Amino acid sequence: MFNTKDALELFAKYRGDAIVVPGRGGRHWINISEGPMDVPLGDPAMGGHCGFALGLAMALPKRRVVLIDSEGDLQMSLSVLMTVAEQKPANFYHFMLDNECYGTTGGQPVPNAKNVQYDLIAKGAGYPRAYAFTELEAFGKALPEIMNGPGPVFVAMKVVPEVENEAIGVRKRWIRRTKNQAIADMRKELRIGV
């Protein structure tokens, strides 16, 4: 297992001009990058990040779209893997943080937390490329191959749990822009509807 912050700092070196939907990694990502091509959505309904990022990839096929998903989100909408595989967006890079628990709701373990091989599930769903990492060094070495190849690609990363036990309504908010502002900033940068 490795730290989400360390993984995202490594990834940032290979991001290029990609749109990044940081999902559950958002609280770290906003301290690494916060420009108009970063679309932190905070905590929407679990499982919603992948569908949103897939929609961006389909609407903007010439722009790479990177999603930082989580295993809890993915378990809530596992069928999205089949949809991604069927659509085959060559510009879609699907990273998944696997901390083996629901970190934002108190750390309850996800079902079969220690035994699920998400990379094999993605491969079985039809992703042409899928990886799994438990060590940061191996992840860092593979990043050029991951980011320089075509999508869709799936990357599972075992990360250290960061459990929040404060009630959602009293937590310190990490998000600095509203969802609407983040999307408006991206649209403006891409000259969509201006």
Side-chain angles (χ1 to χ4, degrees):
M1 285 190 166
F2 47 91
N3 292 315
T4 298
K5 177 179 177 285
D6 295 338
L8 295 181
E9 286 175 345
L10 274 176
F11 159 73
K13 297 174 186 174
Y14 300 95
R15 178 250 184 101
D17 65 354
I19 296 169
V20 175
V21 179
R24 301 287 166 201
R27 75 175 85 167
H28 294 295
W29 186 251
I30 63 165
N31 295 316
I32 297 168
S33 176
E34 190 175 29
M37 303 308 282
D38 300 302
V39 190
L41 299 176
D43 291 325
M46 282 194 83
H49 292 111
C50 190
F52 176 77
L54 173 61
L56 283 177
M58 298 297 292
L60 302 166
K62 295 185 179 181
R63 177 72 66 159
R64 290 189 304 172
V65 175
V66 174
L67 167 65
I68 311 296
D69 210 352
S70 77
E71 93 282 27
D73 284 283
L74 189 59
Q75 285 197 10
M76 292 284 182
S77 61
L78 199 56
S79 64
V80 76
L81 293 178
M82 287 62 117
T83 303
V84 170
E86 182 179 58
Q87 295 302 315
K88 301 179 179 65
N91 59 335
F92 187 61
Y93 297 81
H94 189 172
F95 291 78
M96 188 200 72
L97 306 170
D98 178 4
N99 63 7
E100 302 180 352
C101 69
Y102 295 105
T104 58
T105 58
Q108 305 86 351
V110 298
N112 204 18
K114 297 209 178 286
N115 300 308
V116 179
Q117 293 180 285
Y118 293 97
D119 57 321
L120 296 183
I121 293 173
K123 268 297 235 193
Y127 276 62
R129 297 191 300 141
Y131 300 81
F133 299 98
T134 58
E135 301 296 328
L136 184 63
E137 184 178 352
F139 173 66
K141 285 182 179 175
L143 271 168
E145 176 184 309
I146 293 167
M147 293 304 294
N148 290 328
V153 60
F154 183 87
V155 182
M157 302 175 288
K158 282 284 188 186
V159 296
V160 176
E162 297 175 12
V163 176
E164 294 186 59
N165 284 316
E166 292 286 332
I168 289 175
V170 297
R171 292 180 188 165
K172 181 180 177 189
R173 291 182 53 84
W174 56 264
I175 200 160
R176 297 181 184 133
R177 295 179 290 164
T178 66
K179 296 170 183 68
N180 288 344
Q181 187 61 55
I183 291 169
D185 291 347
M186 179 192 64
R187 290 174 56 116
K188 183 177 178 184
E189 182 73 11
L190 295 172
R191 300 179 164 274
I192 297 172
V194 293

